[in-house]
Amino acid sequence: MNEAIHPLARKTVVWHLAVTSLVLILMMIFGVIMLMNQGEMISITPQWFYKIMTAHGTGMVGIAALGGTAILWYFLSKYVKLNPAILIVNFVLFLTGVSMVLIAIFVFDFSDGWTFLYPLPAQSAKMYGAAGAVFFLSGMLVLGFGFLILYMYLAARLTAVYGGLGKALGWDIIFRGKKGYGPPAAVVATAMVIITNSTALLAGATVLAASLVNIINPAVTMDPLLAKHLTYAFGHIFANCTIYMAVIAVYEVLSEYTKRPWKANKVFLIAWNCSTLFTLMIYTHHLLMDFAVPKWMLIIGQVFSYANGLPVMVVTAYGALMIVYRSRMKWDFASSLFFLSMFGWVAGAIPAIIDATIVVNHVMHNTKWVPGHFHTYMGMGVVAMIIGFMYYFNKTEGNQEHRGIDTFTIALYFVFYGTCGLFPLCRRNQCTKKMVRTPAAMGAVRPGRRSQRNLYRSGRNHLHRKIFSGLRYVGSQVPYQKNQQLAEK
Amino acid sequence: MYQQIAMYATVFFVFLLALAFAFVYGESKRSGEYSTIQEKGYKIRKFYFLGLIAIMAFATVMTLGRLPYDSNQAEAEGLNEGKVVKVTGIQYAWEMSEETFKAGDKVQFDVTASDVTHGFGLYNENMELVAQTQAMPGYTNTVYYTFKEPGTYQILCLEYCSAGHHVMVKEIVVEPEGGASDE
Ligand SMILES: [Cu+2]
C-alpha cells in the first residue's frame, strides 16, 4: 500500500503529460482554424480543412488516452508495483504511431477522418495513392498495439495482486457477500478499462488490418456494415475509456483534499461493473441510422445508452458532490478543475443520452449536436481532469522540469476554449441557426444561395432565441457558403 | 419536434445539474460530519435514482413505439400509395430515380451507395432535418417520408465521405398539391 511511484515511471509520466500538453495546444489551434474558417475570418481549402479535421479528431482522442494513461499509472503505482518499462514502451509506440499518422495527413494528404469508415480509406488510396491510407492505418495499429501491451501487462499485475480482474472489480463482494470494501478506486477503474479497452483495441485492430489488406489486395474485401460495427466498437469504447482512466485522479485527489475516504463500497462496485458491461454494449448507438442492423440491437443501443448514464450520475458525480459537501475543502486549481470535470462529464453525457433515443437520432444523427456533446465531455470532462492532474502532479512531485509548460497550457486552454465558444456569436445572423439542423462534418462551404437566404431568414425569425442558441453553440459554427464554384460543381 | 424537445430537455437538465453543483460549492465552505452527510446523502440518492429510472422508463415507453424503422413503414404500406424512389450516393452526388414530387406524396426512399458510406439527410425548405438514413455500399436502407409542405427540399450528405463531402447536395422540388398536370 501507498508505495511511491518508480522514479523512472515518474519521469515517463512527465513525458506523457508534456506530450499531452503540446499536442493539446496544437489541436486547439487546429480547432480554432476550423472555426475561423467556418466563421469566414480566414479561408482554407476544403482539402486542408478535412486534413486538419482528421488530425484534430485523431490527435484529441490520442492525447486523451495518453493523459488518462499517465493518471492511471501514477495512482495505480501506489497500490500495485508496476514495471516502468511497459509505460516507456507504450510511450515510444505512441510517438511512433502519432508520427505515422502525422506523415499520413501532412505528407500524403490523408483526410478520411479519425473514424476511417471502410471502404473510404481504400477508395482514397485508389484516387490519391496508397501511402496516406497505409501510413494512417498502420500508425493507428502501432498506437493501439502500444495500449494493448499496457493493458495486458496491467491485467497480469492485477491478477497477481488481487487474484483476477473479477476480484479487482469486487465480484466477491457483489456476488459472494464478502463484507467490507473492495480494492481502491484506482484498481477498480483499471480493471474496468482493461476489459473494455482491450475489447475495443482488438475490434480496432481487426478493422484496421482488414482495411490495410484490402488496400494492398483489393480482391480481399470485408462487409462494410461489419467494418462499421468494429470501427465504432473501437472508437466509442476507446474515447469513452479516456474518462474512466482520468477519473481516477478525481477519486484520489478529492478524497485527499477533503480528508474523507472514497471507498469502494458495494454500490460503487456495482456501478463500475455496470459501466463495464454497458460501455461494451452501447456503441450500437452510432449505428441507429443503419436500418439494416437488426432492430433489437438498435433498441439495446438506446436502452443501454440511457442506463450507462446511471453509474456516473448516481454514483460517481453524486459521490463527488457528497464528498465535497460541507468539507471545508481547499479550492485550488486542481480541486476546482476536478469538481468542474464531474459537472462536465454529466453535462456532456446528457445531450448524448438524449441523442441516443432513436426517434431523436433520426433527426439529429451526425448534426452539430454531436460535436457539441463530445466537446463538452472532452473539454470540460476529460481534459479538465488531465489539466487538474498536471497541477496536482507538479505540486506533489516537486519541481518538475515541465512546470512552465503546464502553466502555459492551463492559461492557453482557458483562453482558447472560451474563445471557441464566442466565435459563433461574433459573426453574422445565421449564428442563431440551430445546431441540430447543421451537418457535423460540413467543411468550409455550404452549397446553394437558397439555403443562404434561408439562413438569414431563419436568423431573423429566431432572433428572440438568440441567447439560447448561443448556449447551444459552444464550440461550433454554422457552415457558410463561400465557395460558390465548388458548390455548383 | 424531437429537435426542440431534445434542446429544451438538455437545457433543463444541465440547468438542474448546475444548480446542484453550485449548491454544493456554496456549502463546501461550511463543515459537517461526513458520516451524517453520507447517511443522509444515501437516502436522498435512493429517490434520485428512482426518479432517473422513472424518467428513462417514460422516455423509452414514449419513443420505442415510434421507431423510424417500422412505424412509417406500416403507415406507408397500409395506405399502399407510396412512391418508391431509388437513391444512390456516390462521391459526390446523389442519383435518384425521381426528383420531383407533389405535396402529400408518401415516398419510400430506397437508399444505397455505390462507393463509400454516405448519409442521406433530407432537409425541408427551412433547412430542418426531417429524415435520414445511412447510405451504405452493399445495403439498401429504406426510409419513408410524407411531403406535407410544397417547396424545395435538399438532400445533404450526413456522413463524411472525403474531400467533396460538402458539395454532395441535391435539390428536389415538391410542387403544391393539385398544381401539377396529371390530376
Ligand atoms: Cu457523401
Side-chain angles (χ1 to χ4, degrees), chain A residues 171-184:
Chain A
W171 285 5
D172 42 2
I173 290 172
I174 300 174
F175 300 116
R176 300 234 178 105
K178 195 182 143 200
K179 294 275 168 269
Y181 295 109

Side-chain angles (χ1 to χ4, degrees), chain A residues 123-313:
Chain A
Q123 184 74 9
S124 303
K126 268 186 247 164
M127 285 197 287
Y128 312 113
V134 168
F135 262 103
F136 184 86
L137 298 172
S138 351
M140 295 287 276
L141 260 183
V142 170
L143 228 148
F145 186 57
F147 282 107
L148 200 56
I149 291 176
L150 184 106
Y151 293 131
M152 293 298 103
Y153 171 73
L154 290 175
R157 290 302 298 146
L158 289 196
T159 307
V161 177
Y162 292 92
L165 292 179
K167 286 221 173 94
L169 276 168
W171 285 5
D172 42 2
I173 290 172
I174 300 174
F175 300 116
R176 300 234 178 105
K178 195 182 143 200
K179 294 275 168 269
Y181 295 109
V187 173
V188 178
T190 303
M192 180 273 188
V193 172
I194 289 170
I195 295 171
T196 50
N197 237 359
S198 304
T199 313
L201 290 164
L202 289 174
T206 311
V207 68
L208 285 165
S211 292
L212 274 170
V213 170
N214 174 255
I215 290 170
I216 294 157
N217 180 5
V220 186
T221 59
M222 88 185 294
D223 182 89
L225 192 55
L226 172 66
K228 204 188 247 179
H229 271 278
L230 293 169
T231 305
Y232 285 114
F234 161 64
H236 178 88
I237 299 175
F238 193 75
N240 206 176
C241 272
T242 60
I243 209 161
Y244 289 107
M245 293 192 274
V247 74
I248 294 172
V250 180
Y251 287 129
E252 291 278 341
V253 177
L254 283 190
S255 110
E256 184 188 316
Y257 271 44
T258 56
K259 298 186 191 67
R260 290 172 171 180
W262 201 333
K263 288 264 174 68
N265 59 21
K266 198 168 169 181
V267 172
F268 179 99
L269 293 168
I270 292 174
W272 272 89
N273 277 276
C274 287
S275 292
T276 311
L277 187 66
F278 299 163
T279 302
L280 285 170
M281 290 164 69
I282 63 173
Y283 78 86
T284 45
H285 68 211
H286 289 268
L287 287 91
L288 296 179
M289 288 303 113
D290 280 287
F291 292 18
V293 175
K295 200 165 80 180
W296 60 266
M297 210 182 247
L298 299 175
I299 290 175
I300 283 184
Q302 167 169 339
V303 173
F304 285 92
S305 295
Y306 284 10
N308 197 32
L310 292 172
V312 53
M313 288 177 183

Side-chain angles (χ1 to χ4, degrees), chain A residues 46-47 50 53 111-113 117-120 123-124 127 223-225 228 232 260-261 265 267 288-292 295 298-299 302-303 306 310 313-314 318 321-329 331 339 342-343 346-347 350-351 354 357-367 369 433-434 436-437 439 441-443 445-447 450-451 454 457 468 472 486-487 489, chain B residues 2-4 6-11 13-14 17-18 20-21 23-25 27-34 37-38 40-42 44-45 48-49 52-53 56 59-60 63-64 66-70 72 91-92 115-117 123 125-134 136-143 152 154 156-167 169 171:
Chain A
Q47 177 73 43
Y50 292 130
M53 182 186 83
S111 66
D112 288 349
L117 279 180
Y118 174 90
L120 185 53
Q123 184 74 9
S124 303
M127 285 197 287
D223 182 89
L225 192 55
K228 204 188 247 179
Y232 285 114
R260 290 172 171 180
N265 59 21
V267 172
L288 296 179
M289 288 303 113
D290 280 287
F291 292 18
K295 200 165 80 180
L298 299 175
I299 290 175
Q302 167 169 339
V303 173
Y306 284 10
L310 292 172
M313 288 177 183
V314 178
Y318 192 83
L321 290 178
M322 246 170 43
I323 209 168
V324 169
Y325 183 77
R326 295 195 178 165
S327 64
R328 287 182 154 275
M329 181 178 79
W331 288 100
F339 191 67
M342 296 314 267
F343 170 79
V346 181
I350 289 169
I354 292 176
T357 311
I358 296 169
V359 291
V360 174
N361 196 263
H362 188 52
V363 288
M364 301 222 309
H365 181 73
N366 282 1
T367 64
W369 183 269
K433 197 71 198 151
K434 288 193 165 62
V436 291
R437 293 178 190 170
M442 279 284 163
V445 290
R446 177 56 162 286
R450 167 175 293 277
S451 56
N454 283 325
R457 197 166 65 210
F468 268 131
R472 296 173 210 129
L486 196 57
K489 183 199 93 164
Chain B
Y2 288 118
Q3 296 174 339
Q4 264 72 25
M7 191 89 62
Y8 290 114
T10 303
V11 171
F13 287 122
V14 172
L17 184 73
F21 272 77
F23 169 72
V24 169
Y25 173 76
E27 289 287 319
S28 72
K29 278 141 195 159
R30 299 169 60 188
S31 67
E33 184 61 47
Y34 191 42
I37 293 170
Q38 273 180 312
K40 211 171 160 201
Y42 288 148
I44 298 172
R45 185 164 74 179
Y48 167 52
F49 176 66
L52 282 178
I53 292 276
M56 288 174 176
T60 307
T63 61
L64 281 187
R66 306 176 187 188
L67 299 185
Y69 320 126
D70 43 26
N72 296 347
Q91 286 174 332
Y92 302 104
D115 42 28
V116 301
T117 302
Y123 283 72
E125 201 164 56
N126 301 320
M127 281 308 287
E128 285 166 331
L129 178 56
V130 292
Q132 71 166 310
T133 189
Q134 290 268 299
M136 291 275 289
Y139 288 87
T140 299
N141 293 328
T142 300
V143 64
T152 304
Q154 290 185 84
L156 271 62
C157 183
L158 278 184
E159 186 67 63
Y160 177 63
C161 59
S162 191
H165 166 61
H166 51 278
V167 300
V169 177
E171 285 196 351

